[in-house]
Amino acid sequence: MKITKFLFYYIFGLVGIVLISASPALFKTGTFFNISAYTSELSHLFQTVIHPAEWVYFFKGNPVPLLEYLWDPYRYSMTIFMGAIALGFALAFLFAIGTFFLPAVIKRLVMRLLNLVEAVPDLLLAFSAQLVIVWLYKQTDILFMDFVTVGQERIYALPIVALAILPMVSLYKIILIQLDEEMKKSYVQFAKSKGMVKSFILNVHILRNIIKSIFYHSKIILWGALSSLLIIEYIFNINGITTAFMSDFRPIVTFLILVMLFTPFFVFYQGTELFIFKENRVAEETNLKMNRFLGSISFKPNGKLVRLFIREIAVHFKNVKFLIGFGVIFAIVATSLIYTAAADPLVEKFYHIYDDNGTLVSAAPHSHEYVFLGTDELGYSILDQLLTGAKYTVLFGVAIALLRVALGFILAVPYAFFCPPKLQRVLEKLVDGMHFLPLTVIAYLLLRPVLWMPPGGFTTTEMERIIYQAIVLTILAVPLLITLFGNEMKLIMKDEFVLSTKVLGGSSVHLLWRHLLPHLSARIGIVFGQQFIQTLLIFIHLGVFNIFFGGTDVSHSPFMPDPPQSTTYEWSGLIGSSKNALMTGRWWYIIPPLVAFVVVIVSMQFIIQGIKEVQQKRVGVPVDRNQWYLKLFSAKTSQKDAAKQPTKEDFVFMDSDHSRSS
């Protein structure tokens, strides 16, 4: 029976891949959502799939057998990817368990270091890894490992290490947070009271309780790593599976590559859920049902809801971390808006720079010695582009992340509690196909027909392109977040306090607002941070391939055309058009926008941490604050109090029968 279910779910996953593979037809010929073209492409793809003789790949214009051509780069890419995931996850578990036994002060330092590393884009990590090897070679004349492929050569060590860093950091943080939450639960306190040591509680109780939540989070981490694989292969000049994506966009090629990526991960994840996570399905479905009534709800326009909303926002500003993060991001956006309104021109161009004697001293690109932060190849000021594009990068990054999380959470409620179980499982298997699909590739397929300027110029406005890109990047992530939040809700619905609320007649709205949302708020903050970071990384990934936010200004001149430029001057356009800057020594191309990305990401992490602390305090979870100066003075006071011996004058004696009798 389970084998039948397994095969049935696999078929539904393939259906999802077929639908995705034909989706670029929706945006061809300069139109949005061309249903007739999509239907025609879908029919043609289905006919091709059922006729393997038509599976061909056009290599330099010559048809070759598709499977035979794809197998070698697929095996190469999967070796690098699986090696990176295995290395990253193994190190994350080892480091998390080791950190678990450290003092709280060191744990806080570790979390801050992880936040800093997570703020570094994978593009910079790959460049840094290459530069370290080059620097070591210059210092020692020893090439410790190859840092780029040439021709048919293959390298493994450095790409695996570079790709493993971000998955390791993400899983490391999640495990630490899960361990801290479990340590504050009542069953752990009870075990401690029985004399059980910390290591025994960890191995026997805590790990088995957090493994399922970590399992569900790992899908999102895996999804982000697949997008990073595209960049790693590009930076290291690896002729892998992503090169086949970029060389032939025909739906049959996309379909077969996605099936090859989908199958091994489906076998692992679905096999684990079906054969290892054994539960009583009937009892589970009964426990997950919410009460069918809403209770008494009043929406009188008396301003109470507005005052409540303002009070909720004001509470977060009392948190120092939230205030710092919000202040930095607000300052960046405000500066960009003021600069855009006041500057003329927005981006100054420096053709040639002369000294006081009229002698030419510099031609574009100018270094930071002549222009603050330097200029790009066309002479445009890097600083002016950063100031102009900050509002687009930050505001739309936050907006896309918020839309993803909000839509994912709202749609997860009917998905988890009101959808029939059979329909729920069918939808989940369709969505599973997206977990193993590189988001950068799909975004590239959907956005390039709209954002790449044709020879005749754009037929859409800049705002239309921005809204379209925001919608596409939001929709691509919502199905995955629905299943993630739905699974988290199911886990919480099994807790005793939820069952007690349902027995006492609590309405569905009461249960959701008063119990589920407060307990999910910390994890929603984590997911929001991941989505914000992922959105910025997608901007960078698309920028590497000259797909810029708001549109790419392309010169179609046959004689020395200008490099592609961003129409909005957003930050990923600077990084994308300067992808070879570090290797050519023109560091001022890429360092300023990368530092700007890091500052924004770190600031957002401060905001998320502040939100988590406020929400955890509300549900009764103790929040550790690193107020070392207060602890220092309190420690001195406690030592003085401990040294003082009580005397008779410290007591007040009452005149009672007991005192007289004594």
Side-chain angles (χ1 to χ4, degrees):
M1 184 62 182
K2 290 185 177 181
I3 298 297
T4 303
K5 288 184 178 180
F6 184 83
L7 295 176
F8 183 73
Y9 295 156
Y10 181 73
I11 293 174
F12 271 103
L14 296 182
V15 171
I17 292 177
V18 170
L19 297 176
I20 292 173
S21 300
S23 59
L26 289 168
F27 312 99
K28 287 183 177 179
T29 66
T31 59
F32 293 163
F33 301 103
N34 191 333
I35 303 299
S36 61
Y38 177 73
T39 304
S40 175
E41 191 70 66
L42 195 62
S43 175
H44 181 266
L45 175 60
F46 179 76
Q47 294 295 327
T48 306
V49 168
I50 62 178
H51 295 89
E54 300 181 8
W55 296 3
V56 295
Y57 185 92
F58 289 97
F59 178 68
K60 296 182 179 180
N62 300 319
V64 295
L66 183 57
L67 280 176
E68 180 180 341
Y69 179 83
L70 293 179
W71 178 249
D72 195 50
Y74 168 77
R75 186 174 57 182
Y76 185 23
S77 296
M78 290 303 293
T79 301
I80 294 175
F81 183 78
M82 296 303 294
I85 292 298
L87 177 63
F89 283 12
L91 291 178
F93 270 100
L94 291 176
F95 291 159
I97 299 243
T99 308
F100 177 75
F101 296 97
L102 297 177
V105 176
I106 299 180
K107 287 183 180 180
R108 286 194 291 267
L109 293 176
V110 170
M111 287 298 294
R112 292 177 182 178
L113 179 61
L114 293 177
N115 290 336
L116 182 61
V117 175
E118 195 176 37
V120 179
D122 52 0
L123 179 65
L124 180 58
L125 291 175
F127 273 134
S128 300
Q130 290 179 320
L131 290 178
V132 167
I133 297 300
V134 173
W135 181 82
L136 290 175
Y137 177 74
K138 290 182 177 180
Q139 299 298 319
T140 63
D141 289 331
I142 300 175
L143 185 61
F144 290 90
M145 59 183 69
D146 294 329
F147 58 90
V148 69
T149 62
V150 179
Q152 299 300 319
E153 295 180 356
R154 293 189 174 184
I155 60 174
Y156 293 95
L158 197 58
I160 288 176
V161 172
L163 184 58
I165 295 176
L166 288 181
M168 180 198 69
V169 171
S170 298
L171 188 63
Y172 191 0
K173 287 181 57 179
I174 290 174
I175 296 175
L176 287 180
I177 293 172
Q178 295 283 343
L179 290 175
D180 288 339
E181 290 182 358
E182 289 294 319
M183 284 297 295
K184 296 168 184 175
K185 291 186 176 179
S186 58
Y187 78 90
V188 175
Q189 303 301 324
F190 180 76
K192 287 182 177 180
S193 68
K194 290 293 185 180
M196 298 180 184
V197 296
K198 196 174 183 180
S199 59
F200 179 82
I201 297 174
L202 173 66
N203 296 327
V204 177
H205 298 286
I206 295 180
L207 289 180
R208 64 191 299 179
N209 290 334
I210 68 173
I211 192 65
K212 186 174 293 187
S213 180
I214 293 174
F215 176 82
Y216 290 130
H217 276 95
S218 68
K219 290 186 179 182
I220 302 296
I221 297 174
L222 187 75
W223 190 37
L226 281 172
S227 293
S228 297
L229 176 65
L230 178 69
I231 300 302
I232 293 297
E233 292 192 356
Y234 178 83
I235 296 301
F236 289 95
N237 197 33
I238 294 174
N239 186 22
I241 198 69
T242 53
T243 304
F245 266 117
M246 308 303 295
S247 301
D248 193 341
F249 289 130
R250 290 181 304 121
I252 183 59
V253 178
T254 303
F255 169 77
L256 194 56
I257 291 176
L258 295 183
V259 169
M260 296 170 74
L261 292 174
F262 168 78
T263 300
F265 300 113
F266 176 87
V267 170
F268 172 74
Y269 280 99
Q270 185 55 38
T272 301
E273 293 183 19
L274 197 60
F275 298 103
I276 298 179
F277 291 164
K278 298 179 181 179
E279 297 180 357
N280 190 331
R281 178 70 65 178
V282 176
E284 179 185 354
E285 291 169 0
T286 302
N287 292 336
L288 293 179
K289 290 182 179 179
M290 298 179 76
N291 293 338
R292 296 298 180 177
F293 59 94
L294 298 179
S296 59
I297 306 176
S298 176
F299 293 99
K300 296 180 181 180
N302 55 6
K304 183 177 180 181
L305 292 178
V306 176
R307 290 194 299 271
L308 178 62
F309 176 77
I310 294 175
R311 187 165 60 249
E312 290 289 325
I313 297 297
V315 169
H316 290 84
F317 279 96
K318 296 180 181 179
N319 185 279
V320 176
K321 294 179 181 178
F322 182 92
L323 187 61
I324 293 175
F326 180 84
V328 172
I329 292 181
F330 179 81
I332 292 175
V333 175
T335 302
S336 178
L337 293 174
I338 295 173
Y339 176 83
T340 303
D344 186 26
L346 284 177
V347 180
E348 189 173 358
K349 186 174 183 179
F350 297 88
Y351 294 95
H352 299 94
I353 296 179
Y354 299 89
D355 60 11
D356 296 336
N357 299 323
T359 304
L360 178 67
V361 295
S362 178
H366 307 288
S367 69
H368 64 287
E369 298 176 359
Y370 302 100
V371 179
F372 184 66
L373 295 185
T375 69
D376 61 12
E377 292 180 339
L378 300 179
Y380 290 105
S381 170
I382 299 292
L383 177 62
D384 292 352
Q385 294 183 66
L386 287 175
L387 292 174
T388 304
K391 57 183 179 295
Y392 294 106
T393 304
V394 176
L395 291 180
F396 283 97
V398 172
I400 291 172
L402 282 175
L403 286 174
R404 287 179 174 185
V405 173
L407 291 177
F409 181 82
I410 292 172
L411 296 178
V413 174
Y415 164 79
F417 304 120
F418 301 115
C419 278
K422 292 183 179 179
L423 177 60
Q424 192 177 116
R425 289 193 288 271
V426 169
L427 294 176
E428 184 176 350
K429 303 316 162 187
L430 286 173
V431 172
D432 268 344
M434 296 185 62
H435 279 110
F436 321 122
L437 176 65
L439 181 60
T440 301
V441 173
I442 299 305
Y444 183 89
L445 293 174
L446 297 178
L447 296 175
R448 191 181 189 279
V450 178
L451 300 183
W452 187 265
M453 189 178 74
F458 285 116
T459 59
T460 57
T461 64
E462 183 177 85
M463 184 54 62
E464 288 176 343
R465 295 192 298 272
I466 289 175
I467 294 175
Y468 167 75
Q469 185 171 1
I471 292 174
V472 169
L473 294 180
T474 299
I475 293 176
L476 288 178
V478 166
L480 302 176
L481 294 180
I482 291 175
T483 58
L484 174 64
F485 287 135
N487 290 325
E488 292 289 346
M489 290 178 182
K490 293 177 186 178
L491 293 177
I492 296 178
M493 286 291 288
K494 298 176 185 177
D495 290 340
E496 294 181 358
F497 72 91
V498 176
L499 299 177
S500 300
T501 302
K502 291 165 59 179
V503 171
L504 293 175
S507 67
S508 301
V509 172
H510 174 84
L511 182 61
L512 179 64
W513 186 256
R514 294 295 182 182
H515 297 286
L516 288 181
L517 187 58
H519 283 79
L520 276 174
S521 59
R523 296 182 187 179
I524 289 176
I526 297 173
V527 174
F528 171 78
Q530 291 176 342
Q531 293 304 310
F532 180 77
I533 293 172
Q534 186 189 70
T535 301
L536 296 184
L537 290 177
I538 291 300
F539 287 169
I540 296 173
H541 293 177
L542 293 174
V544 169
F545 299 100
N546 295 324
I547 302 298
F548 305 139
F549 190 79
T552 304
D553 187 0
V554 183
S555 174
H556 294 279
S557 172
F559 305 103
M560 297 184 65
D562 293 335
Q565 296 290 315
S566 172
T567 60
T568 59
Y569 298 108
E570 47 88 24
W571 293 349
S572 63
L574 290 171
I575 293 177
S577 59
S578 309
K579 53 182 176 291
N580 296 322
L582 289 178
M583 302 304 292
T584 58
R586 296 170 179 173
W587 58 268
W588 65 87
Y589 276 18
I590 194 170
I591 294 300
L594 283 177
V595 171
F597 269 111
V598 171
V599 169
V600 171
I601 293 175
V602 171
S603 301
M604 181 57 64
Q605 290 172 343
F606 271 93
I607 292 177
I608 294 167
Q609 186 63 32
I611 295 174
K612 286 169 53 181
E613 290 182 359
V614 171
Q615 297 300 329
Q616 288 174 345
K617 185 177 180 181
R618 287 182 173 179
V619 299
V621 178
V623 178
D624 296 328
R625 291 183 174 87
N626 190 22
Q627 296 177 336
W628 58 270
Y629 51 90
L630 295 180
K631 295 180 180 179
L632 182 62
F633 289 112
S634 63
K636 292 181 178 179
T637 303
S638 62
Q639 290 176 1
K640 293 180 180 179
D641 294 341
K644 183 180 178 181
Q645 297 296 329
T647 62
K648 185 177 181 179
E649 288 74 15
D650 294 330
F651 299 92
V652 177
F653 296 92
M654 305 298 294
D655 188 11
S656 63
D657 295 338
H658 178 72
S659 61
R660 286 195 296 268
S661 62
S662 61

